[in-house]
Amino acid sequence: MGTLSIDFGMINADNVEQLKKINQACFPVTYNASFYEDMAKKHDENLCKFAYWNGFAVGAICTRVEAIPDCPGRHRIYIMTLGVLAAYRNHGIGSKLVSSVLDHITSAQKEDGQLYTVDEIMLHVQTSNEDAMKFYGEKFGFERGELVENYYKRIDPPHCYILRKKLR
């Protein structure tokens, strides 16, 4: 099949159940109702979005802007989730989702100063998830940072690494 042509679409109250289904299929953890309520309210297609192929939601990325501790006035983009249904993996969909967020950050910083205070993008990755570490590292230049012990409560191993990409 090669690289698939996809469209992006906003996550909202009418389709947030699709996000729940994708996350249930992709992740060993369960996200609570408040996570989905927050995603439905975001209304920011640039930072949280679906990937559609032939009209079907086959993947999604959910990010948020958060303050960087010990750096007053500076922020980062935190990748909460990036998931692509198993049958659609290795066709460039995850890469397109991540690239779309990175492209938005770059253009928003240049064009109107929005996201100007964003210095990095980061996420937590379970220590056993070599595929994710390779994906983010090789394709996007993320660097593996510190080990966080017992980050996950109900999965084994419970530890994760912080992956980080400096934007400036």
Side-chain angles (χ1 to χ4, degrees):
M1 248 185 339
T3 301
L4 296 178
S5 176
I6 61 164
D7 297 308
F8 296 124
M10 184 171 21
I11 297 167
N12 58 42
D14 294 330
N15 63 19
V16 73
E17 282 298 315
Q18 293 176 358
L19 177 63
K20 191 173 188 178
K21 296 290 185 201
I22 289 170
N23 287 351
Q24 287 171 338
C26 294
F27 304 118
V29 295
T30 302
Y31 292 89
N32 60 32
S34 66
F35 173 83
Y36 295 104
E37 290 165 11
D38 290 347
M39 293 306 100
K41 292 177 193 169
K42 271 193 173 294
H43 301 297
D44 188 345
E45 187 177 344
N46 294 306
L47 296 177
C48 296
K49 64 184 81 176
F50 284 113
Y52 288 99
W53 181 72
N54 281 349
F56 294 99
V58 297
I61 189 167
C62 296
T63 71
R64 69 176 178 239
V65 179
E66 61 183 29
I68 298 176
D70 304 322
C71 293
R74 305 312 298 173
H75 297 86
R76 65 179 163 223
I77 300 292
Y78 178 72
I79 299 176
M80 297 178 284
T81 63
L82 169 66
V84 176
L85 297 175
Y88 300 92
R89 291 181 191 153
N90 299 310
H91 297 292
I93 296 170
S95 294
K96 288 179 181 179
L97 284 163
V98 172
S99 291
S100 73
V101 170
L102 291 171
D103 292 346
H104 170 67
I105 295 166
T106 301
S107 66
Q109 287 177 330
K110 288 179 184 170
E111 289 173 8
D112 60 10
Q114 186 184 20
L115 301 179
Y116 180 75
T117 61
V118 172
D119 294 335
E120 68 182 15
I121 185 166
M122 69 158 289
L123 68 152
H124 291 89
V125 175
Q126 190 177 20
T127 54
S128 61
N129 194 343
E130 293 291 332
D131 289 343
M133 286 185 264
K134 183 177 177 184
F135 171 81
Y136 286 104
E138 290 182 6
K139 292 191 180 195
F140 298 101
F142 280 70
E143 295 180 3
R144 188 168 83 184
E146 57 272 27
L147 172 70
V148 180
E149 293 188 359
N150 300 310
Y151 178 77
Y152 298 106
K153 305 296 180 227
R154 293 177 203 79
I155 59 174
D156 192 48
H159 315 306
C160 72
Y161 290 110
I162 291 177
L163 298 187
R164 188 177 271 120
K165 177 181 177 71
K166 294 289 185 189
L167 300 175
R168 56 175 94 229

